[in-house]
Amino acid sequence: AARPVPLTPDQLQALGIRQPPLVDNTDMTDADQVDALLKQSCIGEARDGTLVDTSESCRGAADRALAVKLLERTNQARQQLWRYLQARQPATPPAELRRAWRAAHLRGVVCGGWVQQEDGKWESKPC
């Protein structure tokens, strides 16, 4: 009797079929999407203050191309913010401003978000 054959996620991906995301993100802001991707470890908060692609450790379905575009947009906004902060405090070295910004920013990163530690290791932010 003819019937459908179940395929594994790897087989579906090899056929070019994308898995649907775990959540419907049509009404999500960029910040919401960043939080979701941080929790999935698809992107991470790097120790230099930027978002980076960490798709090798991603858990669950995520569109890598969309994630990369999102992190590029977010990093561009962060660069603008850092330039603004530098203009407001020109005597402060840029690296020091960035470190201070990152320390404040990390307090607001979503619980379970993928964060790079000072020693270079990646881990989920504890709550």
Side-chain angles (χ1 to χ4, degrees), residues 4-126:
V5 177
L7 298 174
T8 67
D10 290 338
Q11 290 170 322
L12 290 171
Q13 188 174 16
L15 293 170
I17 300 171
R18 289 189 183 147
Q19 293 181 10
L22 296 177
V23 295
D24 177 21
N25 62 6
T26 53
D27 292 333
M28 295 174 71
T29 65
D30 280 0
D32 294 331
Q33 291 180 39
V34 166
D35 285 349
L37 291 168
L38 284 170
K39 287 167 68 173
Q40 285 182 260
S41 304
C42 300
I43 62 174
E45 289 281 353
R47 62 182 170 200
D48 69 355
T50 61
L51 289 176
V52 294
D53 178 11
T54 57
S55 56
E56 69 281 351
S57 56
C58 187
R59 298 181 308 262
D63 185 330
R64 183 169 185 247
L66 289 176
V68 169
K69 287 180 184 177
L70 177 64
L71 72 88
E72 287 173 351
R73 241 184 353 261
T74 303
N75 285 338
Q76 186 175 38
R78 289 181 181 188
Q79 294 287 343
Q80 290 173 336
L81 174 64
W82 296 330
R83 283 192 297 273
Y84 170 78
L85 292 173
Q86 187 63 53
R88 303 260 316 173
Q89 299 180 16
T92 307
E96 187 178 322
L97 273 175
R98 239 169 142 158
R99 267 192 306 275
W101 176 87
R102 183 175 189 262
H105 174 72
L106 285 179
R107 289 192 293 272
V109 169
V110 66
C111 290
W114 204 229
V115 177
Q116 188 177 31
Q117 303 305 306
E118 289 303 317
D119 62 4
K121 294 180 184 172
W122 290 91
E123 66 180 37
S124 294
K125 179 187 171 192

